[in-house]
Amino acid sequence: EITLDLENQLASLDGGYEKLTTAMSKQGEQWHREIDIVINKMKTEISRIKVKHRDILQKHLDKIKQIQALIKQTLLAIEEIKKSTEVSPTIEYSSKIREFSKLPPKVKIALPTFFPKPLDHEKLYNMFGQITPLSTATEENVLSLNQPNTSVRELLDEPELVATIQTGYEKLFSVTYLNEDCVWTFGPTKDIKCFNMKGELLHTVSNKSEQRPNDIAVDSDGNLFFSDGKSKSVNKVNNGQTEELIRLQGWRPSKLCVTSTGGLLVTMISDDDTQCKVIRYSGSTEKQTIQFDDEGKPLYSGSAVIKYITENRNHDICVADCGAGAVVVVNQNGKLRWRYTGHPSVTKNKTFIPFGITTDSQSRILTADHYNHCIHVLDQNGQLLRYIDNCDLKSPYGLCLDNNDNLFVSEHFKGNVKKIKFLR
């Protein structure tokens, strides 16, 4: 399988790079068209100025010629008086020398000047586009994934509500599993709180930026991670001490998850709220960027909305794109596999808007349908298997699973975390 994958990558190499050069050529053609438009616009402006210039000169010339005609007419009249033997015309004659001595001003109109701006090749290069560097991601191949699964767990006919944790929050956001007795969660404040199954508060971590985090996650060692939109950072809490792991520029971290290899996947939104991408990190090092499909189109909606993320057991990367109303799944190389936009239902009549997302030990995908108050359970290929809608769920928001595939759901407006058993 690894050999076949590498051979396929090599086979598609020329085609992929040809698409890049074609895209550059199209950009060049677009630039040429835009430059022609600018030049034609300037030429039109020059023609307009020329007409105005001509009109001013012609108007002044007509005025001068009119004065010349009056002078000639006056000279002829004087010549007639000189030849005349009558006295009265001479007596009545009034000299126009004073009138004609007031010469009209000379008109000097300077031609417009074109100042070509110097070409800044560096700026032109940056404006034309950007070539991202090669992004090489190496993933450990776990042989056990390819072995027959001896512990197949089927879906329960009727999911069971095991426990309800009352957090006291007016609004509840993400939830992440710590161990058999504890979950981390947070509300609209700077505090991230750890509760046991009885709803007792065990630990509190405060965000230094004084605002609520965007998301939380826990690694296999029990370290807490949280993303902070205000400081544009991802932070790690180890033994009560908070350290900044990642700081972004031009982007804000949104949701995050810990991968099977201990790295991080982070969804992030551009500062102008027009773009979204997924970055894979190993520690603080950026390893992979996932943003566009094979046709160069964005995989995710650009608006600054909720985009929870999780990694499936088969290494697929699953994003619940709230803005697009879709679950978007790519493989570990960032290639689009499928999109799920909901399933026709008589009872689920509101638009499918996915919030939280998680996966179970059988590679099933669970996502929170916030406005239809239920959970969609999908197989790894995006086919709907069932709904979880019998545990009196209200506005489900964040999702996570424990090591026994028990589902934890945060209810946004109730402030509760519900523990649900849905597998045999």
Side-chain angles (χ1 to χ4, degrees):
E1 286 179 358
I2 297 169
T3 302
L4 182 62
D5 178 59
L6 288 171
E7 287 173 347
N8 288 338
Q9 288 188 56
L10 283 169
S12 63
L13 200 66
D14 289 340
Y17 278 90
E18 188 176 339
K19 285 181 181 179
L20 282 175
T21 54
T22 301
M24 288 179 190
S25 297
K26 286 183 179 178
Q27 175 75 332
E29 291 169 6
Q30 180 66 27
W31 269 44
H32 283 298
R33 284 194 294 271
E34 291 297 328
I35 289 170
D36 287 340
I37 289 169
V38 170
I39 291 171
N40 290 332
K41 190 176 179 181
M42 287 189 135
K43 285 182 176 178
T44 303
E45 180 68 10
I46 289 294
S47 297
R48 189 187 65 78
I49 294 172
K50 179 182 172 183
V51 169
K52 187 176 180 182
H53 192 158
R54 188 191 300 279
D55 288 346
I56 293 171
L57 291 176
Q58 190 64 50
K59 185 177 178 182
H60 207 71
L61 179 61
D62 292 345
K63 188 176 180 182
I64 295 297
K65 286 186 174 181
Q66 186 180 6
I67 295 170
Q68 280 182 320
L70 286 172
I71 289 172
K72 287 179 181 179
Q73 186 180 345
T74 303
L75 288 172
L76 287 173
I78 291 171
E79 200 61 36
E80 290 294 322
I81 292 172
K82 271 174 64 179
K83 294 176 182 179
S84 175
T85 56
E86 294 183 19
V87 179
S88 58
T90 305
I91 294 170
E92 292 171 359
Y93 174 73
S94 174
S95 173
K96 294 187 178 181
I97 290 176
R98 186 184 296 276
E99 180 184 341
F100 292 137
S101 65
K102 295 177 181 177
L103 295 175
K106 286 185 179 181
V107 175
K108 290 285 185 183
I109 302 176
L111 287 169
T113 307
F114 173 65
F115 294 103
K117 291 190 176 181
L119 291 176
D120 188 325
H121 295 288
E122 188 65 30
K123 281 187 179 178
L124 277 177
Y125 185 85
N126 291 330
M127 286 173 64
F128 187 78
Q130 185 180 11
I131 301 172
T132 59
L134 281 175
S135 175
T136 305
T138 56
E139 293 287 338
E140 181 183 354
N141 285 285
V142 183
L143 187 62
S144 61
L145 290 175
N146 298 321
Q147 299 297 326
N149 192 335
T150 56
S151 58
V152 175
R153 300 189 63 185
E154 299 294 336
L155 295 167
L156 281 175
D157 293 334
E158 199 76 13
E160 301 170 4
L161 179 62
V162 177
T164 299
I165 303 170
Q166 296 179 338
T167 67
Y169 281 120
E170 292 181 1
K171 288 183 180 179
L172 197 59
F173 296 92
S174 304
V175 60
T176 190
Y177 173 75
L178 177 60
N179 56 43
E180 291 181 8
D181 297 318
C182 311
V183 291
W184 284 101
T185 188
F186 65 89
T189 69
K190 65 179 181 179
D191 294 329
I192 307 166
K193 296 182 178 181
C194 182
F195 294 92
N196 63 18
M197 293 301 106
K198 297 177 182 178
E200 296 169 339
L201 179 62
L202 303 180
H203 308 287
T204 300
V205 172
S206 294
N207 185 5
K208 293 178 182 178
S209 74
E210 300 295 318
Q211 74 166 25
R212 75 166 178 84
N214 283 345
D215 198 19
I216 52 175
V218 172
D219 66 11
S220 57
D221 295 326
N223 297 312
L224 175 68
F225 297 84
F226 68 91
S227 56
D228 181 12
K230 185 176 181 181
S231 65
K232 301 180 183 179
S233 65
V234 176
N235 305 275
K236 179 179 180 180
V237 182
N238 186 7
N239 294 324
Q241 299 299 313
T242 302
E243 61 172 310
E244 185 177 279
L245 198 64
I246 301 161
R247 181 173 284 269
L248 304 175
Q249 289 187 339
W251 296 79
R252 304 188 309 278
S254 179
K255 306 304 179 184
L256 42 98
C257 79
V258 177
T259 67
S260 57
T261 57
L264 282 176
L265 287 169
V266 184
T267 59
M268 53 186 71
I269 312 293
S270 61
D271 283 348
D272 61 0
D273 295 334
T274 61
Q275 298 180 72
C276 172
K277 61 183 177 181
V278 172
I279 302 291
R280 184 192 297 274
Y281 288 94
S282 176
S284 301
T285 306
E286 185 176 318
K287 291 292 185 180
Q288 184 185 16
T289 299
I290 301 168
Q291 188 172 6
F292 302 105
D293 63 15
D294 288 344
E295 297 178 357
K297 296 177 181 177
L299 287 165
Y300 314 108
S301 64
S303 55
V305 292
I306 302 156
K307 289 182 177 68
Y308 275 99
I309 186 168
T310 191
E311 182 190 52
N312 207 346
R313 298 300 190 277
N314 61 359
H315 299 300
D316 281 353
I317 299 165
C318 313
V319 173
D321 190 343
C322 180
V327 173
V328 182
V329 176
V330 301
N331 64 18
Q332 62 182 332
N333 297 318
K335 186 178 180 64
L336 178 65
R337 286 198 61 221
W338 49 266
R339 294 177 191 269
Y340 172 78
T341 56
H343 194 274
S345 169
V346 176
T347 56
K348 314 296 185 290
N349 51 18
K350 292 185 179 178
T351 303
F352 173 64
I353 305 292
F355 276 50
I357 192 166
T358 189
T359 59
D360 69 8
S361 62
Q362 313 298 306
S363 295
R364 300 186 190 97
I365 300 164
L366 295 85
T367 188
D369 187 344
H370 185 76
Y371 296 104
N372 286 303
H373 311 292
C374 66
I375 309 297
H376 294 230
V377 182
L378 316 175
D379 68 14
Q380 63 182 342
N381 297 313
Q383 298 302 309
L384 178 68
L385 300 176
R386 68 160 303 146
Y387 298 109
I388 298 176
D389 55 2
N390 67 318
C391 297
D392 193 30
L393 288 174
K394 297 295 181 185
S395 305
Y397 203 100
L399 299 181
C400 71
L401 289 168
D402 65 15
N403 296 331
N404 294 317
D405 281 329
N406 291 304
L407 174 65
F408 292 84
V409 184
S410 63
E411 293 183 300
H412 186 49
F413 295 108
K414 281 190 171 183
N416 295 334
V417 174
K418 286 186 173 177
K419 181 179 179 180
I420 298 171
K421 181 180 178 183
F422 70 101
L423 297 183
R424 296 186 191 280

